[in-house]
Amino acid sequence: MTDSKIVLITGASQGIGRACALAFLEAGHNVILAARGREKLEAVASAAPERALVHPCDVSDPEQVDALFAAIQKRFGRLDVVFNNAGIGLPATEIADISWEDWRRVASVNLDGAFLIARGAFAMMRAQDPKGGRIINNGSISAHVPRVGSVPYTATKHAITGLTRTLSLDGRKHNIACGQIDIGNAASEMTDAFARGMPQADGSMRPEPLMDVAHVASSVLHMASLPLDANVQFMTVMATTMPYIGRG
């Protein structure tokens, strides 16, 4: 990308969010780094401190999200791209054994948080001059097919697809594009267990292949690079031989 954009990335302190934040900074963009932990965010920002804004934020807290967008408005005056990425999961657990507290913890980050970030971004993009921007939601392959014992995560990721589709319609008259990236088995601290073995639908435990998280970052960069009259509506990027297509 040759033009510098103002980009917000949630969950930017680790994993996919960290890789994407570093890629956007390296490409010359101004990046707002949002996650709960300041120390890890500061480490990411050190790659280009003059173009990074560190803003610790719990995306499930409406007041903290409002403060995040106020900080973006004050520093940059506009917002061009959001990667709505923050998310959490649980170890594989059957629904009968999932507590209400664990269900709400996953739903509050993955769905409430995605809503709050999208709402704040939409409002800012609709009001700015020139108006418009792009919202990219992290859907996950679980937005299409579930893993065993993943009710909270899978339910929220299916909901993200509904969010993406509706934002895409609502955004048209405001020049706001919305797309979704569905990611499968990107190597990071959060997927270390995949290489050791994951529960499969047939009851077995098997290691799964991983791909370099850099491929996710380059994919998000591509989505963000398009002019607002073009859109990647849905993209799936995954480890080629992971158990996803067909019966595995």
Side-chain angles (χ1 to χ4, degrees):
M1 281 179 280
T2 55
D3 57 320
S4 178
K5 291 181 169 65
I6 311 301
V7 181
L8 167 63
I9 298 177
T10 65
S13 61
Q14 61 184 341
I16 289 165
R18 178 182 183 276
C20 290
L22 290 171
F24 274 92
L25 287 170
E26 184 178 351
H29 300 290
N30 295 286
V31 182
I32 302 97
L33 307 167
R36 292 182 182 181
R38 176 177 289 276
E39 188 173 344
K40 288 184 178 180
L41 291 177
E42 295 283 6
V44 177
S46 67
E50 71 284 358
R51 287 185 284 103
L53 172 62
V54 169
H55 193 99
C57 177
D58 177 350
V59 297
S60 67
D61 183 325
E63 292 185 358
Q64 291 191 39
V65 172
D66 287 347
L68 168 65
F69 284 102
I72 296 170
Q73 180 67 44
K74 181 177 180 180
R75 170 77 176 267
F76 298 109
R78 68 176 291 109
L79 181 62
D80 300 306
V81 177
V82 173
F83 183 32
N84 205 354
N85 168 70
I88 60 172
L90 297 174
T93 309
E94 290 184 347
I95 188 170
D97 303 314
I98 296 171
S99 69
W100 172 250
E101 290 75 21
D102 280 344
W103 163 264
R104 281 306 312 155
R105 184 162 58 87
V106 174
S108 68
V109 175
N110 294 7
L111 187 52
D112 297 347
F115 161 77
L116 290 170
I117 292 295
R119 182 181 68 170
F122 196 101
M124 191 169 180
M125 292 171 176
R126 183 180 63 182
Q128 61 197 15
D129 185 19
K131 69 178 180 177
R134 187 180 305 276
I135 299 169
I136 302 170
N137 292 324
N138 185 346
S140 167
I141 280 181
S142 291
H144 303 275
V145 294
R147 284 190 179 277
V148 174
S150 66
V151 163
Y153 187 81
T154 297
T156 57
K157 291 303 184 178
H158 273 65
I160 292 298
T161 300
L163 177 68
T164 298
R165 291 181 182 277
T166 308
L167 285 174
S168 296
L169 292 175
D170 291 355
R172 286 179 175 179
K173 63 183 178 182
H174 303 296
N175 205 27
I176 299 171
C178 183
Q180 179 171 313
I181 185 164
D182 298 321
I183 302 160
N185 288 17
S188 72
E189 319 87 90
M190 302 173 72
T191 57
D192 285 344
F194 288 22
R196 297 193 296 271
M198 292 293 289
Q200 304 297 316
D202 62 3
S204 65
M205 288 282 291
R206 293 203 301 274
E208 294 188 8
L210 298 167
M211 66 173 173
D212 193 318
V213 72
H215 302 312
V216 178
S218 64
S219 299
V220 176
L221 265 173
H222 168 66
M223 294 173 77
S225 73
L226 295 173
L228 290 176
D229 61 358
N231 189 40
V232 174
Q233 188 65 64
F234 293 98
M235 176 190 287
T236 299
V237 56
M238 56 178 266
T240 304
T241 57
M242 69 174 288
Y244 167 63
I245 298 297
R247 294 177 184 264

